[in-house]
Amino acid sequence: TVRKEIVMAFDTRLEQSRWLERAEKVISYHCLEANLANCSLERVPKYFFLNSNLVAINLARNFMREYEEDPSRRIPTRTIGWINNLPLFQHLTSLSLSDNSLEDFPVSLCSALSLEELDLSCNGLRRVKQDIRNLSSLRTLLLHSNQLTSLPLEIIELKQLSTVVIAFNKFVEIPPALLELPELTVLIASGNYITNIPEDIQSIRNLQHLDVRMNRINTKLPRHFSQLSALGRVNFRGNRIPELSLKRFSVAQMINCSENAIRSLTISNNRELQQLIANANKISHFSIVHGPELLSIIDLSKNELSSLPDSLCELP
């Protein structure tokens, strides 16, 4: 590779400052986001690295790889554009490497310290490396549709993490590390092999959205579940839950508990409830105590009810 240098000389400092002003304007016109999805790329085109202002790069559905130096080469290959080079974008806050057939966690990304959103979904990842602890600015981590069975405890150090999606992996439990993230507001863990909700789930005190549908939960909810005082949306669809007390969802707006094994259901003290989806259970008793004023949708189809409570007609 031939390195080219350009030397510029100015007669006066005024002339130099004017040129710098014009150059700064040209740079400011550079886009802040690059969508390179579905381009059959193995590397990012090198001219993209001329724009140091990029804050978001979408590389989904490509063939991106980390570069590994061949020790048999006497002279290292000086190519650019691999995953290893992405941390060169020092202002990068959002990166998607979804659906790139990655089998190993790209450790080099853990040097991209400005990242706030990282999408590694739809790959073949089997583990997440401990180095992820370095991404201290990370707020959103998308890991769905991989082959993961656990997450490293080092994730505890990501104090800003608020959204985690681990759906459609091979988890048999909600990873313990996630229970130590007090700022976590969204947890999507659907389509795994989870058999219960952990007793200390209430430690995620700011949790607003919990999705554990299509798992294998076959136990009652833990008694401290009601301490999740910010939980507004919860989805238990497609499990084997035998009993569900709605009293534990005092501020929930949407509850989906369809396709379980629930036999009795009572709406009580659910003042914020707007939607209750409870079809395809074994419900033979349904009652309403203190009906919520905002309730607009109730689905009790495919159950074992012989009648509905009169209080249902009294709802606003």
Side-chain angles (χ1 to χ4, degrees), residues 22-48:
R22 289 196 297 270
E24 186 175 350
K25 288 181 180 180
V26 171
I27 293 174
S28 67
Y29 293 148
H30 287 181
C31 61
L32 299 180
E33 300 180 2
N35 186 356
L36 299 173
N38 202 25
C39 292
S40 299
L41 295 175
E42 293 184 351
R43 290 180 293 167
V44 174
K46 61 181 181 181
Y47 55 80
F48 270 87

Side-chain angles (χ1 to χ4, degrees), residues 29 66 70 95 100 102 260 295:
Y29 293 148
E66 278 191 300
D70 186 349
L95 173 64
N100 272 260
L102 295 170
N260 278 278
L295 187 61

Side-chain angles (χ1 to χ4, degrees), residues 143-156:
L143 295 170
H144 51 285
S145 301
N146 278 287
Q147 301 293 320
L148 299 171
T149 58
S150 64
L151 292 179
L153 288 175
E154 284 74 14
I155 281 184
I156 295 174

Side-chain angles (χ1 to χ4, degrees), residues 71-82:
S72 65
R73 290 176 178 266
R74 294 183 178 181
I75 301 177
T77 304
R78 298 184 181 277
T79 55
I80 194 170
W82 305 94

Side-chain angles (χ1 to χ4, degrees), residues 196-214:
N196 63 70
I197 302 295
E199 285 292 334
D200 48 353
I201 187 72
Q202 81 282 356
S203 61
I204 316 178
R205 59 177 180 270
N206 291 314
L207 191 62
Q208 299 175 14
H209 184 182
L210 175 63
D211 187 343
V212 288
R213 70 188 189 278
M214 300 169 62

